Amino acid sequence: MLFDIDESHQHYKKIKNIERYVENGSSLTRQLLGFAKGGVHRVRVTDLNELIKRTSDMFGRAKKEIKIHTNLLKKIWPVEVDQGQMEMVLLNLYINAWHAMPEGGDLHLLSENVVIDKGYGGNLKVKQGEYVKVSVVDTGVGMDKKILEKIFDPFFTTKEKGRGTGLGLASASEVIKNHGGLIDVYSEKNNGATFNIYLPASDKKVIQEKELTRKILKGTETILLVDDEEMIIEVNQEILKTLGYKPLIARTGKQAVEIYKNSKDKINMVILDMVIPGMGGGEAYDSLKKIDPKIKVLLSSGYSISGQAAEILERGCNGFIQKPFKLRELSVKIRDVLDEK
Ligand SMILES: Nc1ncnc2c1ncn2[C@@H]1O[C@H](COP(=O)(O)OP(=O)(O)OP(=O)(O)O)[C@@H](O)[C@H]1O
Ligand SMILES: [Mg+2]
């Protein structure tokens, strides 16, 4: 996800932002919903234990009143998942558990290998076969039958206005289904809740992150970052500076055009969010292109590359990157665009 940066010691600010990220359940849900709509992207052979550790560490740091217990099977089978989506699904379950334990409590995270056949889990609505099961168990207020029936419905929430959209579980369920899996729940009123996720096991081997990643590439050019989300701006501005670049910021398409008009000889490339206020990314791209037909633009979006993004790319945009950015990926894509002849 956004903070997939190894050099964690120098990123105190990063941790702070994760806290805010977890704090702000609604923007999380928006992300998740975007994922759910877009289907499955960027599938990677994954060790779910690693993902559980990563997400629960970041959650635990933000919510100290929740005690996290993990019981993860060492030889867990690999699964093929979109790691970003799966992280969001897990974080959403943790946040729900936190809401269900206003006085604090225990969160148990378990992983195991299961074979679903007629005997085990025969009533589960998935194909028979090998699955990895992840359980998220809390000691919170629980749910009665009437609520349980509705929790996966879009917009069903028992939370006050502004606190919940009721989309968390609906989109989580959509994401898991897109992966050929299943999510189910057990709960009783005043007796906690258990969410189980089943994901099909893969016979491929997990490739270590280190083998996959290319080197971080740096530069000194000036980059105009166009985005309207304060947190994205803040984090990416830091990342760009860390990489050696000089970032300029625009929060609307109009601002971007103005800044580009005034400093086009100084600006070497633009990172343009597709969804910005006023004129959208597409119109902004066309206006920028009018000022400088040779402009270099890396398009960014929280959604996968489809529809609108694909159209803009066809009009000559130089590349696409999905938000949240990963440091290495961003560093490589920036150089790809800048070094393009
Ligand atoms: N661990 C849990 N314990 C008790 N109730 C839960 C738990 N998880 C979910 N619920 C119930 O299910 C409802 C729907 O959850 P869901 O995550 O879909 O939406 P939300 O949390 O209300 O809003 P959002 O996730 O969009 O912020 C919640 O409002 C709550 O009533
Ligand atoms: Mg929720």
Side-chain angles (χ1 to χ4, degrees):
M1 55 186 308
L2 182 59
F3 308 102
D4 197 358
I5 303 171
D6 293 340
E7 294 77 359
S8 49
H9 54 283
Q10 43 166 314
H11 286 277
Y12 172 73
K13 211 166 170 177
K14 175 187 96 179
I15 310 280
K16 276 278 153 233
N17 274 314
I18 292 171
E19 286 175 18
R20 244 184 289 167
Y21 202 53
V22 172
E23 210 80 57
N24 188 351
S26 64
S27 89
L28 192 73
T29 301
R30 232 178 51 204
Q31 289 244 5
L32 195 59
L33 193 69
F35 284 144
K37 268 203 225 131
V40 179
H41 320 277
R42 300 213 267 174
V43 169
R44 260 208 244 157
V45 185
T46 300
D47 177 346
L48 274 180
N49 286 347
E50 290 301 316
L51 225 118
I52 293 171
K53 280 185 216 147
R54 201 152 76 210
T55 48
S56 63
D57 277 357
M58 95 172 49
F59 181 73
R61 265 199 299 265
K63 304 281 175 242
K64 297 242 164 44
E65 66 274 27
I66 307 287
K67 194 156 187 336
I68 298 173
H69 313 263
T70 49
N71 191 346
L72 309 176
L73 181 76
K74 279 219 178 68
K75 294 229 152 118
I76 200 80
W77 290 327
V79 292
E80 290 176 53
V81 297
D82 183 309
Q83 298 188 353
Q85 295 185 6
M86 223 35 83
E87 283 173 342
M88 292 296 162
V89 167
L90 288 173
L91 280 170
N92 201 66
L93 290 179
Y94 305 162
I95 288 171
N96 282 351
W98 170 63
H99 282 158
M101 301 187 285
E103 248 93 81
D106 297 288
L107 182 65
H108 297 267
L109 307 174
L110 303 92
S111 69
E112 57 186 311
N113 299 330
V114 299
V115 178
I116 294 181
D117 55 22
K118 285 197 194 81
Y120 178 92
N123 52 342
L124 294 173
K125 289 196 183 71
V126 279
K127 276 196 274 184
Q128 296 190 7
E130 297 177 333
Y131 287 80
V132 173
K133 177 181 179 186
V134 175
S135 305
V136 178
V137 184
D138 68 60
T139 55
V141 295
M143 289 162 274
D144 60 24
K145 248 198 161 144
K146 255 179 84 189
I147 291 183
L148 268 178
E149 276 169 13
K150 295 191 202 125
I151 57 170
F152 293 108
D153 295 350
F155 303 111
F156 174 78
T157 180
T158 55
K159 292 167 192 170
E160 53 199 83
K161 260 212 164 117
R163 187 120 198 243
T165 60
L167 288 170
L169 286 175
S171 30
S173 144
E174 196 62 24
V175 164
I176 301 293
K177 261 191 232 149
N178 289 342
H179 281 83
L182 179 93
I183 179 168
D184 71 4
V185 57
Y186 292 91
S187 181
E188 286 167 22
K189 200 163 172 53
N190 300 320
N191 213 1
T194 298
F195 285 86
N196 298 312
I197 294 173
Y198 298 86
L199 288 163
S202 164
D203 44 20
K204 294 186 189 138
K205 252 182 73 186
V206 175
I207 304 164
Q208 288 307 314
E209 188 79 12
K210 290 212 173 61
E211 298 168 34
L212 266 182
T213 44
R214 283 157 77 181
K215 263 175 59 183
I216 294 176
L217 304 177
K218 300 193 168 194
T220 55
E221 287 91 339
T222 299
I223 299 178
L224 175 60
L225 182 64
V226 190
D227 209 304
D228 64 320
E229 265 186 80
E230 215 42 57
M231 201 182 89
I232 302 256
I233 293 174
E234 224 175 274
V235 175
N236 291 329
Q237 198 172 10
E238 273 320 297
I239 291 181
L240 289 176
K241 279 190 203 153
T242 307
L243 293 174
Y245 297 104
K246 293 184 250 336
L248 298 174
I249 307 296
R251 285 176 173 77
T252 63
K254 206 168 147 228
Q255 243 180 39
V257 170
E258 244 160 59
I259 295 176
Y260 197 78
K261 232 183 226 156
N262 293 331
S263 333
K264 76 168 195 270
D265 297 330
K266 230 176 65 192
I267 297 172
N268 302 94
M269 76 173 277
V270 181
I271 300 177
L272 175 64
D273 183 33
M274 239 174 62
V275 188
I276 43 172
M279 61 173 93
E283 207 184 321
Y285 176 72
D286 294 338
S287 311
L288 290 169
K289 186 120 186 152
K290 247 184 230 149
I291 305 170
D292 177 6
K294 286 206 288 266
I295 189 170
K296 289 181 166 170
V297 178
L298 180 61
L299 195 64
S300 81
S301 165
Y303 299 87
S304 70
I305 180 158
S306 63
Q308 214 195 341
E311 263 171 46
I312 302 176
L313 277 174
E314 262 166 41
R315 297 211 290 274
C317 199
N318 307 71
F320 176 82
I321 184 164
Q322 187 166 353
K323 288 201 288 192
F325 303 151
K326 293 186 175 154
L327 179 68
R328 270 194 194 75
E329 189 186 357
L330 180 66
S331 87
V332 168
K333 290 222 165 148
I334 287 177
R335 284 271 40 115
D336 273 355
V337 170
L338 283 171
D339 298 339
E340 202 174 290
K341 287 279 144 14

